[in-house]
Amino acid sequence: MKIVIDAFGGDNSPEEIVEGAVLAVQKHKGLQIILTGDEEKIKNVLNGRTERIEISHAPDVISNDDVPTEAIRRKKESSLVRAFDLLKENDDIVALVSAGSTGAILTGAIMKIGRIKGVLRPALAPVLPTKTKDDVIIIDSGANIDCKPMNLYQFGLMGSAYYSIMYNMEAPKVGLLNIGVEEHKGTEMVRESYGLLKNAPLNFIGNVEAREALSGSVQVIVADGFAGNVLVKGCEGAVKTVMSILKTSIKSHFMSKIGALFMKKSFKELKNKIGGKQDEHGGSPFLGCKKIVMKNHGSSTRRNILASVDQAIILYENKLIEKIENAVSLEVGNE
Amino acid sequence: MKIVIDAFGGDNSPEEIVEGAVLAVQKHKGLQIILTGDEEKIKNVLNGRTERIEISHAPDVISNDDVPTEAIRRKKESSLVRAFDLLKENDDIVALVSAGSTGAILTGAIMKIGRIKGVLRPALAPVLPTKTKDDVIIIDSGANIDCKPMNLYQFGLMGSAYYSIMYNMEAPKVGLLNIGVEEHKGTEMVRESYGLLKNAPLNFIGNVEAREALSGSVQVIVADGFAGNVLVKGCEGAVKTVMSILKTSIKSHFMSKIGALFMKKSFKELKNKIGGKQDEHGGSPFLGCKKIVMKNHGSSTRRNILASVDQAIILYENKLIEKIENAVSLEVGNE
């Protein structure tokens, strides 16, 4: 099995990306990695550790300042475009991992790899922790900001297929992000989506308010990319704010400082639970593309790259693409 | 000065509502309160404490199950409709407070009291805490789910006027909720709103991502009611989840239990900072109505009712209605 990794995407490239590739081949004995980017620079980091790692020289880099469509069209010698070209042209390359510009990754995936037959809009589905042992995914979280009901219907199908594989759960609960639980709530688009999801071959539990997102009562939250983005980033910001307020308070009280020492274990558990998802999962797959495309956070470290490779392998071995193709091929209400 | 309070709105009515009214007249010496609702039941709670408190008998109650427009039209003898009628017909009644059905309060405010001249859509602006000493308000947070750019423009003006009064700050920073900071981000509606807000007589700082909402870097966040609702409730849920995870962890480690005792002061500070906003502010005004209408949380206690009366008095004395009228009367780009 081969996976291509864009060595020049993200804030910590190429060092952390290349080190992540090294960890990945060490962990997965049957795996081959192709790194795209400036050969000299990659070689410097590899420093001889080339077992099952190839380099495809592509000296150009796409940055966050580039306009995605133009960059994908014109920067043919960039590490990201090369990675997409390799993924497209080689059947034995099963996935791509990049921590580069989100816009460029999504654009490249659609332009170069294309959508699974029947999928209207691929979507991003990041993972968030909950109160319970079950994580929750939000689909879409920013790839599609203007959506139609059929898009949300498909997000439900794709999200459920993805969650089932990642967490080995047969029928994850799927909810629709809304401003109230009653069926008549929300915009026309959301109300129509409700009607479609209600009749979908899913474990659809109805509307979910944002305050229930991390409660563990739902595993897949369907939303348009704007609302989903607000939810994911809003939760992230709120968690940071709580931790920051607590930290400030601890610093200003002697007794609290002592207490915090005793509580070390609990703070660590909290940090792992809340902040650990990125490490654990690495990236979010861009669901609905013909091949597995993993979008990693720009600040990804070697551990995040490894986790993303881990996830790509699981998704490939469990036939994510085929499952999504089957799910969307059913006519609405035809299950 | 007179304020009318719906004694039969909310989970804790009439007891907590009536007790809140008693606290309010004790605190504000020039204040008279009119309580609307079943006279016998209110009298039972008042138990003789009738100084500067009148009762307007209205035996019917509007519940969350009632369809708002129908309830406002037909339940003429309900505590809420009576409160609106009194507010409408009496110049010396300056504000209304209710912890009843949000839909019915908003509908009643628009049908009975009406919009300030020039205001297209009144909006709700709840307060959230931030890392810093400055709170943040989100306008709109659920009253208007389908919005046009001019609505968001006016939300900015109304929110800024409200914040200026509540926090005695001349030019609060106003940001537009978006999925990225760049000007071209977001839906067409959001991009057009950006163009209008940029030229508004406001301290407009551009787009704000949801993760910055509670950072203290912005005081007024403008959003359509759907996204605003997701942000407010998402933050609320995330905070609860963090606290719940920490609590569970503390319970399961002996050392953490000891530590938590030492940290009591810091946990209390955190709780006050995070959870105290509702107590502090009581309710959210429905900004853009001809008179001050305070919508309290359904779970409001006497303290929340008192806080809402406090806020109504400040808003009235500082001429919120006139300030909003002046702000929206300026033509776009005519400042």
Side-chain angles (χ1 to χ4, degrees):
Chain A
M1 190 190 305
K2 281 187 185 173
I3 288 177
V4 61
I5 302 180
D6 167 13
F8 283 79
D11 312 331
N12 308 314
S13 71
E15 289 77 12
E16 289 297 312
I17 315 296
V18 173
E19 293 294 348
V22 172
L23 292 176
V25 291
Q26 284 168 356
K27 180 167 176 181
H28 301 282
K29 294 306 167 198
L31 179 67
Q32 277 195 290
I33 298 273
I34 303 157
L35 289 166
T36 61
D38 185 296
E39 187 166 13
E40 270 313 297
K41 289 180 183 159
I42 294 173
K43 270 190 176 162
N44 278 342
V45 183
L46 278 177
N47 198 12
R49 296 169 296 171
T50 53
E51 202 194 323
R52 285 179 283 124
I53 297 183
E54 287 171 49
I55 302 172
S56 177
H57 181 61
D60 214 351
V61 172
I62 294 178
S63 81
N64 281 322
D65 299 328
D66 284 309
V67 176
T69 38
E70 280 182 28
I72 295 295
R73 277 208 192 97
R74 296 192 190 154
K75 289 195 164 179
K76 292 185 200 300
E77 292 298 299
S78 63
S79 58
L80 182 63
V81 171
R82 173 66 51 79
F84 273 121
D85 284 337
L86 289 171
L87 181 66
K88 184 184 176 181
E89 289 156 16
N90 296 281
D91 287 342
D92 59 342
I93 302 181
V94 302
L96 175 152
V97 173
S98 175
S101 147
T102 305
I105 296 170
L106 304 190
T107 306
I110 289 175
M111 285 171 62
K112 297 277 184 180
I113 308 303
R115 292 169 282 129
I116 293 171
K117 200 185 154 204
V119 169
L120 300 166
R121 301 267 199 98
L124 283 172
V127 174
L128 296 179
T130 73
K131 256 180 228 183
T132 70
K133 62 173 186 18
D134 295 323
D135 293 334
V136 62
I137 63 168
I138 320 292
I139 179 169
D140 178 50
S141 71
N144 308 283
I145 52 170
D146 273 312
C147 287
K148 296 199 166 63
M150 262 310 276
N151 301 138
L152 270 71
Y153 170 79
Q154 291 195 340
F155 296 165
L157 296 174
M158 296 195 293
S160 182
Y162 167 55
Y163 198 101
S164 302
I165 293 175
M166 279 306 294
Y167 296 95
N168 198 19
M169 184 190 281
E170 206 171 318
K173 289 180 195 154
V174 179
L176 177 64
L177 183 63
N178 207 335
I179 62 164
V181 293
E182 301 87 348
E183 187 167 345
H184 67 272
K185 287 274 180 176
T187 60
E188 203 185 322
M189 193 281 287
V190 173
R191 289 198 307 273
E192 281 180 27
S193 304
Y194 188 104
L196 294 176
L197 286 163
K198 200 170 63 170
N199 295 310
L202 289 172
N203 185 5
F204 182 60
I205 61 161
N207 289 324
V208 173
E209 289 190 85
R211 73 160 69 88
E212 295 302 315
L214 309 187
S215 69
S217 62
V218 59
Q219 282 88 50
V220 178
I221 296 181
V222 174
D224 69 78
F226 197 97
N229 190 279
V230 168
L231 179 58
V232 171
K233 289 183 181 165
C235 289
E236 196 186 309
V239 168
K240 273 193 187 158
T241 299
V242 173
M243 299 315 286
S244 157
I245 293 172
L246 194 58
K247 221 170 166 180
T248 306
S249 172
I250 289 171
K251 273 187 194 159
S252 63
H253 301 297
F254 179 70
M255 293 287 269
S256 292
K257 271 188 207 163
I258 306 283
L261 290 176
F262 279 93
M263 279 188 57
K264 225 170 170 177
K265 203 164 177 178
S266 286
F267 281 131
K268 207 176 164 189
E269 275 187 9
L270 178 66
K271 204 183 155 195
N272 285 343
K273 176 107 184 166
I274 292 290
K277 292 302 151 193
Q278 197 186 323
D279 278 355
E280 230 174 84
H281 295 276
S284 307
F286 192 35
L287 296 173
C289 295
K290 276 186 193 159
K291 281 191 159 180
I292 292 161
V293 174
M294 302 296 301
K295 188 210 85 66
N296 269 52
H297 204 283
S299 61
S300 287
T301 62
R302 61 190 73 185
R303 281 188 61 195
N304 305 140
I305 297 298
L306 170 63
S308 217
V309 171
D310 289 346
Q311 199 186 152
I313 293 172
I314 293 173
L315 295 176
Y316 176 74
E317 288 181 340
N318 289 279
K319 302 188 189 307
L320 173 73
I321 308 292
E322 291 82 345
K323 281 179 183 162
I324 289 178
E325 193 169 350
N326 286 339
V328 298
S329 72
L330 294 169
E331 285 291 310
V332 181
N334 201 19
E335 68 283 357
Chain B
M1 190 191 301
K2 281 187 185 171
I3 289 177
V4 62
I5 302 179
D6 167 13
F8 283 79
D11 311 333
N12 307 314
S13 72
E15 290 76 14
E16 289 297 311
I17 314 297
V18 172
E19 294 292 349
V22 171
L23 292 176
V25 291
Q26 283 167 357
K27 182 168 175 181
H28 302 281
K29 293 307 168 196
L31 178 68
Q32 277 194 289
I33 298 273
I34 303 157
L35 289 166
T36 60
D38 185 296
E39 187 167 13
E40 270 313 298
K41 289 180 182 158
I42 294 174
K43 271 191 175 163
N44 277 343
V45 184
L46 279 177
N47 198 13
R49 296 168 297 170
T50 53
E51 203 195 321
R52 284 179 284 124
I53 297 182
E54 287 170 51
I55 302 170
S56 177
H57 180 61
D60 214 353
V61 173
I62 294 178
S63 81
N64 281 322
D65 299 327
D66 284 309
V67 177
T69 38
E70 279 182 29
I72 296 295
R73 276 209 192 95
R74 296 193 189 153
K75 287 196 164 179
K76 291 185 201 301
E77 292 298 298
S78 64
S79 58
L80 182 63
V81 171
R82 173 65 54 77
F84 273 121
D85 285 336
L86 289 170
L87 181 67
K88 184 183 176 182
E89 289 156 16
N90 296 280
D91 287 342
D92 59 341
I93 302 180
V94 302
L96 176 151
V97 174
S98 175
S101 147
T102 305
I105 297 170
L106 305 190
T107 306
I110 289 174
M111 285 172 61
K112 297 277 186 178
I113 309 303
R115 292 169 282 130
I116 294 171
K117 202 186 152 203
V119 169
L120 298 166
R121 300 268 199 97
L124 283 172
V127 174
L128 295 179
T130 73
K131 257 181 225 181
T132 70
K133 62 172 185 19
D134 295 323
D135 293 335
V136 62
I137 63 168
I138 320 292
I139 179 167
D140 178 51
S141 72
N144 308 283
I145 52 169
D146 273 313
C147 287
K148 297 199 165 62
M150 262 309 278
N151 302 137
L152 270 71
Y153 170 79
Q154 292 196 339
F155 296 166
L157 296 174
M158 296 196 292
S160 182
Y162 167 55
Y163 199 99
S164 302
I165 293 175
M166 279 306 293
Y167 296 95
N168 199 17
M169 184 190 280
E170 208 172 317
K173 289 181 195 152
V174 178
L176 177 64
L177 183 63
N178 207 334
I179 61 165
V181 293
E182 302 88 348
E183 189 168 343
H184 68 270
K185 288 274 181 175
T187 61
E188 203 187 321
M189 194 281 288
V190 172
R191 288 198 306 274
E192 282 181 27
S193 303
Y194 188 105
L196 294 176
L197 286 163
K198 200 171 63 171
N199 295 310
L202 288 172
N203 186 5
F204 182 60
I205 61 162
N207 288 325
V208 172
E209 289 190 87
R211 72 159 69 88
E212 294 302 315
L214 309 188
S215 69
S217 62
V218 59
Q219 281 88 50
V220 178
I221 297 181
V222 173
D224 70 78
F226 196 96
N229 190 278
V230 168
L231 179 58
V232 171
K233 289 182 182 164
C235 289
E236 195 186 309
V239 169
K240 273 194 187 155
T241 299
V242 173
M243 300 314 288
S244 157
I245 293 171
L246 193 57
K247 220 169 164 178
T248 307
S249 173
I250 289 171
K251 273 187 195 159
S252 63
H253 302 298
F254 179 69
M255 293 287 268
S256 292
K257 269 189 209 165
I258 307 283
L261 290 177
F262 279 93
M263 278 190 56
K264 224 171 173 179
K265 203 165 177 177
S266 287
F267 282 132
K268 208 177 164 187
E269 275 186 8
L270 177 67
K271 205 183 155 193
N272 285 343
K273 177 107 185 165
I274 292 289
K277 291 303 152 194
Q278 196 187 323
D279 278 355
E280 232 175 81
H281 294 275
S284 307
F286 192 35
L287 296 173
C289 295
K290 276 186 192 158
K291 282 191 158 180
I292 293 161
V293 173
M294 302 296 301
K295 189 211 85 67
N296 270 53
H297 205 282
S299 61
S300 287
T301 62
R302 60 190 74 186
R303 282 188 61 196
N304 305 141
I305 297 298
L306 171 63
S308 217
V309 170
D310 291 346
Q311 198 186 155
I313 292 172
I314 293 172
L315 295 176
Y316 176 73
E317 288 180 341
N318 289 279
K319 300 188 190 308
L320 173 73
I321 308 292
E322 291 82 346
K323 281 179 182 161
I324 290 179
E325 193 169 351
N326 285 338
V328 298
S329 72
L330 295 169
E331 284 292 310
V332 181
N334 200 19
E335 66 286 357

